[in-house]
Amino acid sequence: MEELRRSYSRLCKESGAEPQEGVLQQLHELPRGRLDLATQSLTVDTCRALGKLLQKEALLTQLVLSDCMLSEEGATLLLQGLCTNTTVRFLDLKGNNLRAAGAEALGKLLRQSKSIQSLTLEWNNLGTWEDAFATFCRALASNGSLQQLDLRNNQISHKGAEELALALKSNASLQQLDLRWNNIGLLGGRALVNCLPSNRTLWRLELAGNSVPGDILRAVEQAMDHNQDRQTTFRENQARAHVLSKEMRHLREEKSKQFLDLMETIDKQREEMARSSRASAARVGQLQEALNERHSIINALKAKLQMAEATLALSEQKAQDLGELLATAEQEQRSLVQRQAKEHRLEQQVGRHGSGRGCMVAGAGGILAPSHPQEAAERESKLLRDLSAANEKNLLLQSQVDELERKVKSLQEQLFLTRQELTNTSAELKMRAVQAEERLDLEKKRSRQSLEDSEQLRFKEVEHMTRHLEESEKAMQERVQRLEAARLSLEEELSRVKAVALNERGQAEEELIKAKNQVRLEEPLLCPQQQRLAHLEEKLRLLAQARDEAQSTCLQQKQTVADAQARASQLGQQVEGLRRRLKELQQELSNKDQERVAEVTRVRVELQEQNGRLQAELTAQEALKEKAAALERQLKVMASDHREALLDRESENACLREKLRLKEAEITRIRDEEAQRASFLQNAVLAYVQGSPLRALSPQK
């Protein structure tokens, strides 16, 4: 608030004026955005500073300027500042005697402002200037934010009422209009009644004190009741639509939330499935790697096995060869043993039978038996050595065969274990793959089922909402049909009332014509009207004087033109410029003549307006006389009622005093009885204490 005070003081100093103390105090307080400057007598400089301050002020919502004695210039400056303000909702300009310039400034404010909702213009003179008031009404027609307008006591005539009626036909925001104590009359009332069917927002129109007939007032009241019912129905429908839209929005939010939750669940399931599939893929990869390693190990074992089998085959071949050699060696050994045995026997026989037989034995043995015994012994020892070497070699080969058989057995066992492990691993991998596929199928079925459930749920809810909306729409259509039927019945009733009102209107017009004739007959007797006529004559004289001054000014300008022409004849080099100057002066002269003619026309129009206002004032005076008589009668009735009420109150007071006196007497009696009983009780207690009989002290009745 201190910033507002500083801004106001700075603006006043910039314009060379002193800030007003009352305005500074109100700017310092400023309760809840309300600036109350009522009865402050604001100067033009203060109005200029306030207008500049209000252009950018965003804290004020209510501005009260009632009875501030605003001049035309000050009011114009203030209203110009409010044109760009976007926060002021309530504006009070009561009792500021606003006239033509004020009405035009108010019209500009209504055309430009989108924030003012309540405008109070009571006790002004806006209706006196019909052109300016028509401008104000045209601005009201295009305004879309004003809801409440107070035009009481503004000298609005029937022409102003017609302009207001035209504005109300186009206005779609005004809800309350107060036109009490103006000069609307019968014609203005008819114009307002005719415009009301086109206006659907106005639900309160006050026309008291305007000499409007009762049938028109009743028609206005019926139209206002109809608009009020329509507004009530519209608000109810709007509230229901708001509730329905809120429910729809809530349901949509719930559906979107459920859908989002479902999508999150599906995403989570997909993520879990992806994780499980990745884990399965990783596990399968690991198992595949292990399987590949096992395959490589098996291949290596197979290669080793093949090598061992090849070695075994070679060893078996060698063993077979060695066996064959061993068999041949044994056979040779047996043959040698046999030969040696034969030779030994032959030698023994030779030793027994002679040398001849030895020769025969030698001849029979041929090459196998040597002729000398030493060679036979050597050969036998050699054969024995070969036999022992063959036996050793046979044992060595047998041990190698056994070792190779053991290796083959171990390799076969290892191969069997490897094949068994491979089989187990393959079975485990197949089982895990089957489990993963089953789990994947289960997750797919579950997600598909959840999607189907959510889709069915969404379809059911959409169907429920559609059915609910259809039912509500059907109910709304039925309500609209009922309202339309009520409207048709009201229109029929209105047409009947209008027919009755036309008859009454004709009678009222006849009575009005009679009253006007009587007023014209009584007009010369009215002294105030003569004073007004004298005032108007004085104003006309002043206008004539202004006209003479204008004519003298024109003569002076003509003299200037003559001097210019003389100078033009002397100065040949400036002929063209002086001719242009002459044309300009002639144009100014014609403008002055037109202004003079317009001024004369305006004075005539003002005189006609004054005559119309005098007639309106006569009708207003008659209405005031009637109101004064009615008020006197009402005052007398109230005085008699007051006297009767006073008498009733006095009688009631007397009854209450009598009852109070009786109550006081009864209370005194009860106190005396209680005191007597207390004394008797005290005596009885004393007698009991002293031992005397109670019968002697019993109280006498």
Side-chain angles (χ1 to χ4, degrees):
M1 307 311 154
E2 190 65 29
E3 184 179 356
L4 288 177
R5 292 186 63 188
R6 288 197 297 269
S7 300
Y8 169 67
S9 303
R10 178 176 55 79
L11 291 172
C12 288
K13 290 179 181 179
E14 288 178 359
S15 61
E18 291 294 329
Q20 294 182 229
E21 292 296 331
V23 177
L24 289 174
Q25 184 178 359
Q26 293 296 329
L27 286 174
H28 178 66
E29 297 175 358
L30 202 63
R32 295 182 181 179
R34 177 184 174 89
L35 179 58
D36 191 353
L37 299 177
T39 67
Q40 289 290 335
S41 300
L42 303 179
T43 62
V44 175
D45 295 329
T46 299
C47 291
R48 183 181 290 108
L50 287 175
K52 292 180 180 179
L53 183 63
L54 290 172
Q55 288 179 358
K56 300 179 180 179
E57 179 55 42
L59 297 176
L60 293 178
T61 57
Q62 298 182 11
L63 181 59
V64 180
L65 299 173
S66 58
D67 301 319
C68 289
M69 300 177 65
L70 296 176
S71 62
E72 291 286 311
E73 185 180 359
T76 303
L77 291 172
L78 270 173
L79 295 174
Q80 285 178 357
L82 284 172
C83 287
T84 57
N85 190 284
T86 58
T87 57
V88 175
R89 302 285 186 269
F90 177 83
L91 179 59
D92 188 356
L93 292 172
K94 173 185 174 183
N96 284 293
N97 197 23
L98 298 178
R99 292 182 292 277
E104 292 177 356
L106 285 170
K108 184 178 179 182
L109 174 64
L110 291 179
R111 278 193 298 271
Q112 296 183 7
S113 177
K114 305 296 181 183
S115 61
I116 293 180
Q117 299 177 358
S118 177
L119 181 60
T120 302
L121 298 172
E122 184 183 0
W123 288 105
N124 287 291
N125 290 319
L126 299 177
T128 306
W129 312 93
E130 293 182 357
D131 294 337
F133 189 70
T135 304
F136 171 78
C137 292
R138 286 192 293 272
L140 177 63
S142 61
N143 184 271
S145 61
L146 189 64
Q147 298 179 2
Q148 185 176 358
L149 179 60
D150 190 352
L151 290 174
R152 289 178 290 178
N153 294 292
N154 269 276
Q155 303 296 326
I156 300 174
S157 62
H158 63 280
K159 293 184 179 179
E162 291 174 357
E163 295 292 337
L164 274 175
L166 292 176
L168 290 176
K169 286 183 179 180
S170 302
N171 187 278
S173 63
L174 192 63
Q175 299 179 2
Q176 301 181 33
L177 178 60
D178 197 345
L179 295 173
R180 288 179 290 180
W181 311 113
N182 285 293
N183 301 321
I184 292 175
L186 175 63
L187 298 177
R190 286 180 180 176
L192 289 172
V193 169
N194 292 329
C195 82
L196 291 179
S198 301
N199 189 292
R200 296 178 179 270
T201 57
L202 188 67
W203 56 269
R204 181 184 175 191
L205 178 60
E206 300 288 343
L207 291 175
N210 282 283
S211 301
V212 178
D215 57 344
I216 293 178
L217 292 176
R218 287 192 293 274
V220 169
E221 186 176 358
Q222 290 178 359
M224 294 298 101
D225 292 339
H226 184 61
N227 282 348
Q228 194 168 4
D229 293 339
R230 183 181 297 160
Q231 289 290 330
T232 304
T233 306
F234 176 74
R235 284 194 293 270
E236 290 178 357
N237 294 333
Q238 193 173 9
R240 290 180 180 177
H242 179 67
V243 172
L244 288 175
S245 63
K246 192 174 181 180
E247 290 180 357
M248 284 287 294
R249 189 166 54 252
H250 181 64
L251 289 174
R252 286 176 182 173
E253 289 177 356
E254 287 184 354
K255 295 303 173 189
S256 62
K257 187 177 180 181
Q258 291 178 359
F259 182 72
L260 290 174
D261 293 339
L262 180 60
M263 292 302 294
E264 287 179 358
T265 306
I266 292 172
D267 292 337
K268 288 180 181 178
Q269 291 178 356
R270 287 178 178 174
E271 288 177 358
E272 290 179 359
M273 290 171 63
R275 283 197 298 271
S276 62
S277 62
R278 285 195 297 269
S280 301
R283 182 64 179 169
V284 169
Q286 292 176 0
L287 293 174
Q288 188 67 33
E289 290 178 357
L291 185 62
N292 293 329
E293 290 178 358
R294 295 295 174 84
H295 277 299
S296 62
I297 292 171
I298 289 170
N299 292 328
L301 291 174
K302 284 181 179 180
K304 289 181 179 180
L305 182 60
Q306 290 175 359
M307 292 174 64
E309 288 177 351
T311 307
L312 182 61
L314 291 173
S315 298
E316 289 178 352
Q317 184 67 31
K318 289 180 179 180
Q320 189 177 0
D321 294 339
L322 290 174
E324 292 177 355
L325 290 173
L326 182 61
T328 55
E330 287 178 352
Q331 189 176 1
E332 288 178 355
Q333 186 178 6
R334 282 194 300 271
S335 62
L336 288 173
V337 169
Q338 290 176 1
R339 285 170 62 187
Q340 286 178 2
K342 287 179 179 181
E343 288 178 356
H344 184 66
R345 282 193 303 269
L346 288 173
E347 287 178 356
Q348 287 178 0
Q349 290 176 4
V350 168
R352 282 193 305 264
H353 296 289
S355 59
R357 188 173 291 184
C359 293
M360 288 175 65
V361 173
I367 303 170
L368 295 173
S371 61
H372 197 278
Q374 187 176 1
E375 293 179 359
E378 290 177 358
R379 189 173 182 181
E380 184 178 359
S381 62
K382 182 178 181 182
L383 288 173
L384 289 173
R385 283 195 304 271
D386 291 337
L387 182 61
S388 63
N391 288 328
E392 290 177 359
K393 190 174 183 181
N394 192 9
L395 292 173
L396 180 62
L397 290 173
Q398 190 67 34
S399 64
Q400 287 180 357
V401 169
D402 294 336
E403 186 178 358
L404 288 173
E405 286 179 356
R406 286 194 301 272
K407 286 183 179 180
V408 168
K409 287 181 180 179
S410 64
L411 289 173
Q412 286 178 353
E413 290 176 358
Q414 190 175 0
L415 181 61
F416 177 73
L417 292 173
T418 305
R419 286 178 179 175
Q420 188 176 2
E421 186 177 358
L422 180 62
T423 305
N424 295 331
T425 307
S426 300
E428 185 179 359
L429 287 175
K430 288 180 180 179
M431 184 176 64
R432 289 186 180 179
V434 170
Q435 290 177 358
E437 288 179 357
E438 290 178 355
R439 187 177 178 184
L440 184 62
D441 293 336
L442 183 62
E443 292 294 334
K444 286 182 179 179
K445 289 180 181 179
R446 189 183 299 169
S447 61
R448 192 179 299 111
Q449 185 67 30
S450 61
L451 284 173
E452 290 177 357
D453 294 339
S454 63
E455 189 68 23
Q456 291 178 359
L457 182 62
R458 185 184 64 81
F459 179 74
K460 289 180 181 179
E461 289 180 351
V462 169
E463 186 178 358
H464 176 68
M465 283 303 302
T466 305
R467 188 167 59 252
H468 182 66
L469 288 175
E470 289 177 355
E471 292 176 357
S472 62
E473 186 177 0
K474 190 181 294 183
M476 292 295 292
Q477 288 178 358
E478 292 176 357
R479 181 70 182 274
V480 169
Q481 290 176 359
R482 289 197 298 270
L483 291 174
E484 189 68 22
R487 185 182 66 81
L488 292 174
S489 62
L490 289 173
E491 287 180 355
E492 291 176 358
E493 186 178 358
L494 182 62
S495 62
R496 289 195 299 271
V497 171
K498 282 184 178 179
V500 176
L502 288 174
N503 297 326
E504 294 180 356
R505 190 181 299 169
Q507 296 176 2
E509 287 179 355
E510 292 178 359
E511 293 178 358
L512 181 62
I513 292 171
K514 292 179 181 180
K516 284 184 178 179
N517 293 329
Q518 187 176 359
V519 168
R520 289 194 186 96
L521 293 174
E522 294 177 356
E523 187 176 3
L525 300 176
L526 299 174
C527 294
Q529 308 305 326
Q530 292 177 358
Q531 292 178 0
R532 289 181 179 273
L533 289 173
H535 178 68
L536 291 174
E537 289 176 355
E538 180 67 22
K539 190 172 182 180
L540 184 60
R541 186 181 60 79
L542 293 174
L543 291 173
Q545 186 177 358
R547 184 190 60 189
D548 294 337
E549 291 178 357
Q551 288 178 355
S552 63
T553 305
C554 290
L555 292 174
Q556 292 177 1
Q557 290 178 354
K558 287 180 180 179
Q559 185 64 33
T560 306
V561 170
D563 295 337
Q565 289 177 354
R567 288 181 62 190
S569 62
Q570 294 175 3
L571 302 173
Q573 296 178 357
Q574 300 178 357
V575 172
E576 295 298 328
L578 290 175
R579 284 179 182 176
R580 286 194 298 270
R581 179 62 178 169
L582 179 60
K583 289 180 181 179
E584 292 175 359
L585 292 173
Q586 288 176 355
Q587 184 67 29
E588 290 178 1
L589 183 60
S590 63
N591 292 333
K592 292 291 183 180
D593 292 335
Q594 291 177 2
E595 290 177 0
R596 183 175 56 79
V597 173
E599 186 71 21
V600 172
T601 306
R602 190 173 63 81
V603 170
R604 289 177 182 174
V605 172
E606 287 180 358
L607 288 174
Q608 292 177 0
E609 290 176 354
Q610 290 290 339
N611 291 329
R613 283 195 294 274
L614 288 174
Q615 292 178 359
E617 287 178 359
L618 286 175
T619 57
Q621 286 180 0
E622 289 181 357
L624 289 173
K625 287 179 181 178
E626 292 177 358
K627 289 178 182 177
L631 289 173
E632 288 178 356
R633 289 193 296 271
Q634 189 177 1
L635 185 61
K636 289 179 181 178
V637 173
M638 291 175 65
S640 62
D641 294 339
H642 185 62
R643 284 196 296 272
E644 291 177 359
L646 285 176
L647 292 174
D648 294 338
R649 291 293 175 85
E650 287 178 357
S651 62
E652 289 178 1
N653 288 332
C655 292
L656 291 173
R657 289 193 190 97
E658 183 66 23
K659 290 180 180 179
L660 183 62
R661 187 181 60 77
L662 293 175
K663 290 289 183 182
E664 288 178 351
E666 186 177 357
I667 289 169
T668 304
R669 183 179 60 78
I670 290 171
R671 284 178 180 173
D672 294 339
E673 289 179 358
E674 291 294 331
Q676 189 175 4
R677 288 177 183 175
S679 64
F680 290 159
L681 182 61
Q682 186 178 5
N683 293 330
V685 171
L686 290 174
Y688 178 76
V689 171
Q690 293 173 1
S692 60
L694 294 175
R695 287 176 296 177
L697 298 174
S698 61
Q700 297 179 0
K701 294 184 180 178

